[in-house]
Amino acid sequence: MAESAGTDDGHIKAALESVKQRVAAASAERGSAHATRLVAVSKTKPVSDLMAAYDAGQRIFGENYVQELIDKAPQMPEDVQWHFIGHLQSKKANGLVAKVPNLVAVETVDDDKIASKLNSACAAAGRASKLQVYLQVDTSGEETKSGVDPEGAPTLAKHVVEDCPNLELKGLMTIGAPDDFECFNRLAACRHEVAEALGVDAASLELSMGMSGDFEEAIARGSTSVRVGSTIFGARNYANK
Ligand SMILES: *Cc1c(COP(=O)(O)O)cnc(C)c1O
């Protein structure tokens, strides 16, 4: 991951500020009382790039790969709030939770097994606070996409709420198919089903949806948390991984 440090700092600061303005404008247009959270997705990017965003005020970062996050976390200030947004294998849950104390959320819980594993990992690590989780929902119906089917989300949500005391069900997350904004509407509909099954207000559950190419459309359809990478940090070079 070695890369010349510092040269991109000005670009990253300017790009971050522009994304923040666009997020705020889209949220205002929706008439939302709450600010939409911006998760800066920094996978494959060197710590110097993350620090440029940090110095420009960003505190919430999203990473996709367990080992990369475990490597980066101790190199960043402790007040960073990490969101894990990649596919998580059960066998890596313990290491992730134990080695990243400031892991705030795992956005990719898509079955009972990984939820239970994260719950026991929190106990094993002696975490003081609950780990927030989002249920990843497959809203595109593509075989290759991970995520629970919308019909399965209420049952999974009940499992988290009833059987996983170290987890806090924060909301639902989806990636969706490119240019298919119906996926965002499907996630919002799924939230209603989940809220009904739990007997809570739909508004008490968040919607994590929207990436570089579509975050404004996602906000218009109810997103409360967007995950933006390349528009802030530039195109990714996976050879850096
Ligand atoms: C990489 C990634 C993002 C960010 O994608 P960009 O198009 O670079 O903004 C968001 N969410 C998930 C789950 C990702 O894997």
Side-chain angles (χ1 to χ4, degrees):
M1 244 181 279
E3 225 175 55
S4 61
T7 49
D8 285 335
D9 288 14
H11 285 131
I12 289 170
K13 184 171 196 274
L16 176 65
E17 261 146 33
S18 149
V19 168
K20 281 207 262 195
Q21 278 172 14
R22 288 169 60 192
V23 167
S27 308
E29 187 144 328
R30 185 179 74 201
S32 171
H34 302 285
T36 305
R37 181 185 305 98
L38 171 62
V39 177
V41 176
S42 47
K43 59 177 179 246
T44 78
K45 296 297 176 181
V47 167
S48 55
D49 285 5
L50 279 69
M51 274 312 298
Y54 181 92
D55 288 338
Q58 183 66 25
R59 292 294 178 271
I60 310 172
F61 290 84
E63 288 281 342
N64 287 62
Y65 307 102
V66 171
Q67 193 55 50
E68 183 176 352
L69 175 50
I70 288 173
D71 290 344
K72 280 176 172 171
Q75 301 179 61
M76 290 291 292
E78 280 175 17
D79 65 340
V80 164
Q81 299 166 38
W82 296 104
H83 283 224
F84 186 78
I85 62 169
H87 177 69
L88 182 59
Q89 292 172 275
S90 297
K91 63 177 181 192
K92 297 201 172 161
N94 273 328
L96 177 66
V97 172
K99 290 179 182 157
V100 187
N102 48 343
L103 178 71
V104 167
V106 173
E107 298 205 14
T108 46
V109 168
D110 63 359
D111 65 16
D112 283 21
K113 190 179 159 203
I114 192 68
S116 299
K117 194 70 216 214
L118 281 169
N119 184 60
S120 59
C122 290
R127 260 184 80 103
S129 59
K130 291 191 181 198
L131 177 64
Q132 298 174 2
V133 297
Y134 294 71
L135 308 186
Q136 183 177 356
V137 179
D138 177 3
T139 53
S140 68
E142 290 171 35
E143 293 284 321
T144 51
K145 286 267 159 62
S146 38
V148 63
D149 289 337
E151 303 75 52
T155 310
L156 178 54
K158 279 191 163 182
H159 172 66
V160 170
V161 169
E162 291 169 5
D163 307 327
C164 302
N166 302 313
L167 306 183
E168 176 194 352
L169 180 65
K170 189 77 176 165
L172 308 179
M173 174 273 209
T174 200
I175 297 177
D179 298 322
D180 180 4
F181 306 141
E182 258 316 297
C183 293
F184 300 146
N185 294 332
R186 280 184 208 120
L187 194 69
C190 183
R191 172 169 65 174
H192 274 283
E193 301 296 320
V194 168
E196 196 156 293
L198 297 176
V200 301
D201 236 26
S204 69
L205 296 168
E206 295 215 13
L207 296 176
S208 170
M209 56 189 197
M211 320 202 297
S212 284
D214 55 18
F215 67 85
E216 283 149 320
E217 287 82 0
I219 291 170
R221 288 163 181 80
S223 175
T224 63
S225 194
V226 294
R227 312 176 307 270
V228 180
S230 45
T231 299
I232 297 171
F233 295 109
R236 284 180 291 275
N237 177 359
Y238 283 92
N240 285 343
K241 254 289 296 160

